[in-house]
Amino acid sequence: MATTITSVDAILVDLPTIRAHQLAMATMQQQTLVIVRLRASDGIEGIGEATTIGGLSYGEESPEGIKLAIDTYLAPALIGQDATNVHGAMARLNKVARGNRFAKSALETALLDAQGKRLGVPLATLLGGAVRDALPVLWTLASGDTARDIEEAERLLAERRHDTFKLKIGRRAVRDDVAHVAAIKRALGDRARVTVDVNQAWNEADGANGIAMLEAAGIDLIEQPIARENRVGLARLAARFVVPIMADEAVTGPEDAMELARLGAADVFALKIAKSGGIFGMLRTAAVGDAAGIALYGGTMLEGSVGTIAAAHGFCTLPQLAWGTELFGPLLLKDDVVLERPAYRDFALRLPDGPGLGLALDEDKLAHYRRDCA
Ligand SMILES: [Mg+2]
């Protein structure tokens, strides 16, 4: 008899962050995760996570909307389906719901976690195997205060936790943002790479002006300087400067990747499982980047441990990952809902051992932080 999906739960979890996290579009004081628990008729449970940045301020899905979509539409479509056929289950979801990529990503993760546990293999093994067991992880300096950011970077360098630092800019005038970034680069010198993420905040003229100054200051990478829709503008900026331009919001799936590659609009793609609708969508996007000679980078939606480790299993299987990752989400959280939190050392995140994701939920923490029990 086939092993069928018997239940799917989506749980909103509100976790405190270690500090306020300032982005061009929002300041985060806490993070809301949507944790998915998918059970099958053989008694095996898989877990997944969908998490957004600043509610609805970054993307088109919110934690509350993700839960609604899963409870109302996606979970009923999965109940009774073959739990061992991940592609089959995802095809069914794509038939009943357009878009909703974050929700689908969480469900795909839960299916893969369960299947890994069922077969007794890590998720990366299900994908064909990891070509690296650790992923370089940068840290985002986002306090907004120059002296405090330098102090934080110095401490993390000394602890050998991060040697690449990303600055979230675009809130202030271009000149003020560049002064902030340049001061941090001067303080850190060749000991660290410094990158910036503008999160689409600039127009093209600001972009040209800002990137010229950032390039002169020795900044290593410029992420999504202008609106995601302005691909031709991004191509003009990419052609104009030597410092690499990374597309993030502009590249969600393989179709975007094709178009950006055709235009020569990006030197680097930021990959994220959530925006591609899951690990397989991310891998398809990566394949287009590979074919076009575009460098790859493992991005984050600031997920907790479940979503972060799901992405890590996927990123570990990529043939090239020239710009490393930003899988630091769990480090931004004061507490988490897994028994053993991911291990960060020597500037890298290690894949956990064990079947599936290699994680187990902490039932007490989950009960404490879930919104419906607060
Ligand atoms: Mg970004």
Side-chain angles (χ1 to χ4, degrees):
M1 212 184 92
T3 302
T4 56
I5 299 166
T6 54
S7 74
V8 180
D9 291 308
I11 304 158
L12 292 173
V13 178
D14 295 310
L15 292 173
T17 52
I18 56 169
R19 59 153 164 72
H21 198 67
Q22 288 199 4
L23 315 172
M25 61 287 168
T27 300
M28 293 167 46
Q29 307 279 357
Q30 63 159 34
Q31 181 62 307
T32 302
L33 325 180
V34 185
I35 297 291
V36 165
R37 310 187 80 157
L38 181 146
R39 293 182 192 85
S41 57
D42 57 0
I44 290 178
E45 178 185 86
I47 56 176
E49 177 186 336
T51 289
T52 71
I53 295 175
L56 271 173
S57 65
Y58 179 90
E60 288 151 2
E61 288 170 76
S62 67
E64 295 78 12
I66 290 166
K67 176 171 168 53
L68 181 91
I70 291 174
D71 289 349
T72 313
Y73 300 100
L74 303 176
L78 286 177
I79 306 295
Q81 298 297 305
D82 183 350
T84 68
N85 185 343
V86 179
H87 288 323
M90 294 310 292
R92 184 165 167 82
L93 291 185
N94 287 329
K95 205 172 269 181
V96 302
R98 290 191 181 276
N100 289 276
R101 296 185 302 263
F102 287 58
K104 287 173 182 171
S105 175
L107 292 166
E108 189 200 78
T109 296
L111 286 160
L112 286 166
D113 180 42
Q115 186 64 1
K117 288 173 179 163
R118 195 169 283 123
L119 299 176
V121 297
L123 206 163
T125 303
L126 281 186
L127 302 174
V131 296
R132 56 186 76 78
D133 57 8
L135 295 164
V137 177
L138 63 68
W139 180 247
T140 294
L141 299 169
S143 76
D145 179 85
T146 308
R148 202 174 148 193
D149 280 355
I150 291 170
E151 201 181 290
E152 193 171 302
E154 290 288 4
R155 179 173 56 78
L156 293 168
L157 268 173
E159 290 173 4
R160 294 182 61 77
R161 224 179 65 182
H162 305 281
D163 59 4
T164 300
F165 299 96
K166 167 161 140 177
L167 290 153
K168 290 288 195 176
I169 61 172
R171 286 170 79 91
R172 297 179 282 195
V174 175
R175 194 162 287 280
D176 296 338
D177 268 341
V178 171
H180 172 66
V181 174
I184 290 168
K185 179 62 193 172
R186 267 199 310 277
L188 301 177
D190 292 336
R191 293 176 297 139
R193 283 206 288 200
V194 175
T195 71
V196 298
D197 187 357
V198 191
N199 283 117
Q200 321 182 65
W202 289 342
N203 60 35
E204 196 177 334
D206 283 344
N209 187 24
I211 295 168
M213 291 190 281
L214 290 166
E215 190 173 72
I219 300 311
D220 292 279
L221 182 70
I222 314 288
E223 182 173 346
Q224 198 67 52
I226 60 174
R228 54 177 291 187
E229 295 83 5
N230 191 1
R231 293 166 163 176
V232 176
L234 201 61
R236 281 190 289 263
L237 293 173
R240 189 162 170 175
F241 297 101
V242 172
V243 59
I245 306 284
M246 179 154 77
D248 180 8
E249 286 91 331
V251 58
T252 56
E255 297 82 4
D256 291 327
M258 278 277 288
E259 184 62 8
L260 292 169
R262 194 181 66 77
L263 291 168
D267 305 289
V268 188
F269 285 159
L271 304 167
K272 298 180 184 175
I273 63 169
K275 68 181 181 179
S276 297
I279 292 174
F280 288 113
M282 180 279 290
L283 295 174
R284 291 169 65 222
T285 311
V288 176
D290 274 336
I294 291 167
L296 300 177
Y297 171 77
T300 183
M301 288 293 171
L302 300 177
E303 291 99 336
S305 296
V306 177
T308 295
I309 292 301
H313 278 281
F315 294 154
C316 279
T317 71
L318 292 171
Q320 60 103 353
L321 193 60
W323 284 88
T325 80
E326 57 179 13
L327 289 180
F328 65 83
L331 297 170
L332 194 60
L333 300 173
K334 252 189 205 147
D335 206 354
D336 211 326
V337 292
V338 293
L339 285 175
E340 212 171 314
R341 300 183 76 177
Y344 292 87
R345 59 172 189 276
D346 289 329
F347 311 113
L349 164 67
R350 323 238 143 216
L351 272 188
D353 297 322
L357 291 169
L359 296 172
L361 289 174
D362 182 325
E363 300 293 348
D364 294 337
K365 293 270 178 73
L366 187 65
H368 178 74
Y369 289 113
R370 60 188 293 164
R371 189 178 293 181
D372 56 10
C373 282

